[in-house]
Amino acid sequence: MSTQTLLLLTIAAVIVGYAAYKSPALGTAMGVAAAVVGILYLIIQNDQNGDRRP
């Protein structure tokens, strides 16, 4: 993981944490959205690498 990616993830975590502190519903929605995007990214990355299991 590059330093730039780690910095971006840290900034996103701080933003979600602050949003959750101010508005729990908004923080939860942002957290769920980030999790969905992360899962989709992993799925797409595996498909591009040809990691298909029968």
Side-chain angles (χ1 to χ4, degrees):
M1 181 179 297
S2 70
T3 304
Q4 187 177 20
T5 304
L6 185 58
L7 180 63
L8 180 64
L9 289 174
T10 303
I11 291 171
V14 168
I15 291 170
V16 170
Y18 182 74
Y21 174 73
K22 288 293 187 180
S23 171
L26 177 62
T28 302
M30 289 176 70
V32 169
V36 168
V37 168
I39 291 168
L40 289 175
Y41 174 78
L42 290 174
I43 291 170
I44 290 170
Q45 196 70 11
N46 281 340
D47 283 347
Q48 289 177 352
N49 291 338
D51 184 18
R52 296 178 187 247
R53 296 182 181 142

